Amino acid sequence: MSEQEIRRTLGRTLRQLGSTRVVIAVLLMMIGVIVAYGSWRLPLLRDAERALYDVRAVTAAEAVDTDQRIALVVYTDDTNRATGQISPVDRTVLAQALANMDAMGARAIGIDVLFDSPQDDDPLLKQALSQMKTPVYLAYATNQTNPDAITFEQQQDLDAWHADVRSDTVKSTSILLETDSDGVARRWPRHYPGLPPLMSISLTERGADAAPGFTEYTGPIRYRVPLSSDRPVFDKVPIDLLADADTAAFMADLIRDRYIMIGGDFADFDQFDTPFTRTGNPVTGELQTIGVEIHAQMLAQLLDRQMPLVVPRWLLWALAIGSVLLGAASAAPQGAGPAIGLAMILQFSVFLALPFLLESWGYNSYELPSIGWIGGWLMGYLAVASALRVIGQAQREFAAGALGKYLPKSVAAEILRNPEQLRLHGEKREIFCVFTDLEGFTKLTHAVSAEQIASLLNQYLDELSAVVLKYGGTLDKFVGDAVVAFWGAPIAKPDDGFRAAMAAWAMYEAGEKFRKSVPEGVPPIGRTRVGLHYGTAIVGNFGGEGRIQYTALGDAMNTAARLEAANKALDTTVLVSSEVVDRLKNSDIIDWFVPMGRVTLRGRATPVDVFEPRPDASAEDRAAILAMVEGHREGDAQAVRRFTAVLDGIGQQGNMDGDKQPSGPSSLGEKSLRNLVERLRQTSGGESYVLG
């Protein structure tokens, strides 16, 4: 495609869309990029992203044997019952345990217990701390970072306590743990001014294990899981065992040269949700994890130097834009099929699988917008799909308008849905065929100007065409003033017969209305005659490569045309074959039809029973006519005489050419009935009347 053609196509597309829709499509794609990049900051999407991250964290979690570098020393509910103190915990036990662990050669000790209120045994604990050779780090927090746990008075007591014991060996450390808005601890806490280093940082600051890179680290916590339920990730020792000199000796191997973290292990205090809690696979087999154990997980991560790789921001923006463009590209192909569906499935699979792969490769997948990519894809798809729908609608309207000049609208719509219908073909269908004719139109063409004839004819054909379309018919063709239509193709419906019969009568009525509305100076216009038949026809596109016509051919069409012509000889207006009436037996209009005898149409050998719709005929009138026709068929010679005797009592409508108004209560045309009586007199025993 040349540059000029591209510009022309683009210009036409923009015109079809309109400036408003172009702006909306661009805005949708921009919103899609924002969603694809920042879904972790958007409500609902953020929750979905977190849930998916939890699955990734659990899936990628490393199963390890018991860590020989770290041990947890915990206060338990049994310890509290033995000491008689619950909150604050007993500090005598802590002083004794610290002295014993110091003697055992612990590497460093972190205490996850806040001394925010004075106790009677504080001097004993302070003395023990002053004699420690092992580095000890005492838990510290502030009212600003823990407003729910630290009051102003507690803050003062905590600051005073730390000031009393602070030395080169005893220092303060932060025990802050932060959770996301859903209450799950997924990330290392931020460093706040006024807080000392985090416990895992403090414990390792004096030796070769120091990791300066973690000082400002706020990425995900790398949780590990035990290899088996009887081999936990961290040894956990009750503090009262270490406080008792008799039992402490047996714990030496669990303390020597290890980082010791002391904290509480209570059922209803200092418990945190983790990704494992939310996915039903907790780290320790419990629903929640105690705070000191989360600190231990962070310490192990620091010791292993497992700081995840970071996906560059520019790449995240590129992936966000790419997901939107993929969605837009997926909306562009016309139609739908297995290939398009498979492509969509593959794209969604990549969006979901890529973060899992990055997590397994050591990258930080926290805040990686997996659901956001899908959301961006959908926004891109929506932007282009809606634009294409507008363009497609404009093209369909144009195509329908163009096709409608050559083909019936129903056929045009079918072709737009299935272009294969345009191929030359034919098929046998059972259809209802209608032919019309306007009496005296040929004579009229010699009486008025060509311009007036064209105007009258266009008005007449437009009104009859509207009737056909109103009742869902297919307009076949115009032959001069004649209209040809059928029902049952290209789409057949259960009520085709009902709609065709209604249309046949409505076309007659439309003709009557038209001929009474012609302007002054135009000679009288005759009646519209209609023929309706049901039968088999060959329906399809016929013609050649340069011109095709959707039409129906065959005996059914010929019979309908001859029925229309027979109206003149029978003095009727609308003639319907028995094949049609037989298919209307269960309809509401079956009582409309009165028999007009059996005739042999011109050019046909097989007789046809014909009927005329008379919707305003009384039940008595219809019964009288039916009795006459059936009596004649059965050879009752008196049937016609009986009807003739009462004919004058049925009522007079006058000639059906409009010269007289009805003079009696019946709508039956005397002229058509006299014609019927005369035909029956000329035949006997149900013989058909042959039309010349």
Side-chain angles (χ1 to χ4, degrees):
M1 183 179 291
S2 66
E3 181 179 349
Q4 185 176 4
E5 291 175 332
I6 293 175
R7 289 180 178 178
R8 186 162 51 246
T9 301
L10 181 59
R12 183 174 62 250
T13 300
L14 293 177
R15 286 192 301 273
Q16 290 173 337
L17 276 176
S19 58
T20 301
R21 292 191 179 94
V22 170
V23 171
I24 292 174
V26 172
L27 285 176
L28 283 175
M29 296 186 73
M30 292 175 65
I31 292 172
V33 173
I34 293 172
V35 169
Y37 181 81
S39 57
W40 278 81
R41 297 167 181 81
L42 300 174
L44 299 181
L45 290 181
R46 175 177 54 211
D47 295 335
E49 294 285 14
R50 287 171 176 171
L52 196 58
Y53 169 76
D54 290 344
V55 175
R56 294 197 296 268
V58 170
T59 303
E62 181 184 3
V64 297
D65 204 347
T66 303
D67 197 322
Q68 302 298 317
R69 302 166 298 179
I70 305 168
L72 303 181
V73 175
V74 294
Y75 283 89
T76 65
D77 293 325
D78 292 336
T79 306
N80 292 341
R81 281 192 292 270
T83 61
Q85 284 189 245
I86 298 177
S87 180
V89 294
D90 189 273
R91 296 175 183 177
T92 300
V93 170
L94 178 58
Q96 294 169 347
L98 286 173
N100 290 332
M101 287 188 287
D102 190 40
M104 294 175 186
R107 180 173 295 187
I109 300 173
I111 302 177
D112 187 12
V113 177
L114 287 173
F115 304 116
D116 54 2
S117 60
Q119 297 294 306
D120 293 339
D121 51 358
D122 281 351
L124 178 62
L125 178 56
K126 291 179 179 179
Q127 181 182 5
L129 289 171
S130 67
Q131 296 174 353
M132 293 291 293
K133 299 181 177 61
T134 304
V136 178
Y137 298 90
L138 302 180
Y140 184 80
T142 65
N143 175 259
Q144 287 75 22
T145 57
N146 292 77
D148 296 332
I150 306 294
T151 66
F152 177 75
E153 291 77 10
Q154 288 175 308
Q155 184 74 67
Q156 289 182 314
D157 291 336
L158 183 62
D159 290 341
W161 220 98
H162 278 250
D164 286 346
V165 299
R166 187 176 294 116
S167 65
D168 291 340
T169 304
V170 180
K171 295 183 179 181
S172 302
T173 187
S174 170
I175 57 168
L176 177 66
L177 290 178
E178 288 186 317
T179 62
D180 291 329
S181 59
D182 59 352
V184 180
R186 299 183 178 92
R187 298 173 296 122
W188 283 54
R190 289 167 289 175
H191 178 75
Y192 292 91
L195 281 181
L198 195 65
M199 182 179 288
S200 54
I201 304 294
S202 299
L203 287 172
T204 57
E205 68 179 357
R206 302 192 184 190
D209 292 332
F214 278 87
T215 302
E216 301 296 331
Y217 175 70
T218 57
I221 300 172
R222 183 212 58 175
Y223 288 98
R224 300 181 300 168
V225 294
L227 282 173
S228 62
S229 58
D230 60 340
R231 295 160 68 182
V233 176
F234 305 109
D235 285 319
K236 191 182 296 183
V237 183
I239 194 169
D240 46 331
L241 295 181
L242 288 168
D244 188 338
D246 294 334
T247 57
F250 298 101
M251 303 291 114
D253 290 341
L254 298 178
I255 304 300
R256 186 179 299 109
D257 202 32
R258 291 195 186 190
Y259 293 104
I260 308 300
M261 290 185 167
I262 303 174
D265 188 4
F266 308 123
D268 57 354
F269 181 73
D270 200 32
Q271 297 275 347
F272 290 85
D273 286 328
T274 68
F276 295 86
T277 310
R278 293 303 176 91
T279 56
N281 183 18
V283 178
T284 61
E286 301 171 353
L287 292 179
Q288 293 181 309
T289 304
I290 57 176
V292 71
E293 187 166 355
I294 295 178
H295 283 291
Q297 292 279 0
M298 291 191 288
L299 175 58
Q301 181 179 357
L302 181 151
L303 293 174
D304 292 336
R305 302 295 194 270
Q306 288 196 344
M307 185 180 295
L309 301 172
V310 177
V311 179
R313 290 292 175 186
W314 67 265
L315 182 56
L316 291 178
W317 279 110
L319 290 171
I321 296 171
S323 66
V324 174
L325 294 179
L326 275 176
S330 298
Q334 297 297 315
I340 295 176
L342 180 60
M344 292 182 179
I345 293 173
L346 288 175
Q347 291 175 58
F348 277 47
S349 299
V350 169
F351 294 149
L352 293 173
L354 182 58
F356 280 89
L357 291 174
L358 291 172
E359 180 75 26
S360 66
W361 294 338
Y363 280 87
N364 176 11
S365 70
Y366 185 84
E367 295 192 345
L368 203 61
S370 180
I371 300 297
W373 292 336
I374 295 176
W377 187 97
L378 292 173
M379 296 297 287
Y381 186 93
L382 176 63
V384 174
S386 59
L388 289 177
R389 184 173 181 177
V390 172
I391 295 172
Q393 182 63 30
Q395 292 174 342
R396 282 191 296 272
E397 290 175 358
F398 175 80
L403 286 173
K405 298 180 184 298
Y406 304 97
L407 300 172
K409 288 185 178 180
S410 58
V411 180
E414 181 69 16
I415 288 173
L416 288 175
R417 286 191 294 269
N418 182 12
E420 281 293 311
Q421 294 288 338
L422 273 175
R423 63 187 176 86
L424 299 178
H425 78 292
E427 59 178 334
K428 282 188 176 182
R429 298 287 285 269
E430 301 291 327
I431 62 173
F432 294 85
C433 316
V434 168
F435 269 74
T436 72
D437 184 65
L438 184 60
E439 266 184 349
F441 186 78
T442 302
K443 294 180 180 179
L444 184 65
T445 60
H446 301 290
V448 297
S449 65
E451 291 79 6
Q452 196 166 25
I453 283 293
S455 175
L456 290 170
L457 182 60
N458 286 336
Q459 180 185 349
Y460 174 76
L461 295 178
D462 186 57
E463 291 180 5
L464 263 63
S465 299
V467 172
V468 174
L469 297 178
K470 174 183 176 181
Y471 289 98
T474 297
L475 277 170
D476 186 344
K477 63 176 75 71
F478 302 128
V479 183
D481 60 273
V483 176
V484 183
F486 51 85
W487 282 254
I491 302 173
K493 297 180 180 178
D495 62 343
D496 279 335
F498 172 81
R499 290 185 291 110
M502 292 290 292
W505 180 251
M507 292 170 82
Y508 162 72
E509 289 187 317
E512 288 297 287
K513 180 180 178 181
F514 169 76
R515 77 189 187 103
K516 294 174 183 178
S517 66
V518 295
E520 294 182 5
V522 176
I525 296 177
R527 300 169 301 177
T528 294
R529 297 189 296 241
V530 184
L532 171 60
H533 179 63
Y534 174 81
T536 302
I538 306 298
V539 182
N541 292 311
F542 301 96
E545 293 298 326
R547 175 75 170 91
I548 65 172
Q549 181 179 8
Y550 187 85
T551 187
L553 307 172
D555 183 67
M557 301 294 286
N558 295 332
T559 302
R562 283 166 173 74
L563 283 171
E564 177 274 312
N567 280 295
K568 183 176 182 181
L570 303 185
D571 292 317
T572 53
T573 53
V574 180
L575 274 183
V576 179
S577 67
S578 59
E579 287 81 357
V580 174
V581 175
D582 288 343
R583 282 154 183 82
L584 297 174
K585 288 182 178 179
N586 296 323
S587 71
D588 296 335
I589 61 172
I590 186 61
D591 291 337
W592 285 18
F593 299 93
V594 295
M596 286 287 112
R598 176 173 293 176
V599 298
T600 300
L601 299 172
R602 184 179 302 171
R604 292 180 57 88
T606 304
V608 178
D609 289 315
V610 294
F611 295 77
E612 185 173 25
R614 294 294 182 181
D616 51 355
S618 67
E620 293 79 5
D621 293 343
R622 290 193 296 267
I625 299 170
L626 179 62
M628 176 182 63
V629 174
E630 289 186 347
H632 176 271
R633 184 177 300 163
E634 294 171 0
D636 183 357
Q638 300 301 318
V640 177
R641 290 195 186 100
R642 287 195 298 270
F643 182 80
T644 304
V646 298
L647 181 58
D648 293 336
I650 293 178
Q652 303 273 335
Q653 185 181 4
N655 294 328
M656 295 299 292
D657 59 5
D659 295 336
K660 296 181 180 180
Q661 295 297 322
S663 59
S666 174
S667 65
L668 297 175
E670 180 189 8
K671 196 171 183 179
S672 63
L673 291 178
R674 296 288 182 188
N675 188 302
L676 172 61
V677 169
E678 185 62 30
R679 285 185 282 114
L680 294 181
R681 282 175 177 169
Q682 297 179 29
T683 58
S684 61
E687 295 175 352
S688 69
Y689 182 83
V690 180
L691 299 177

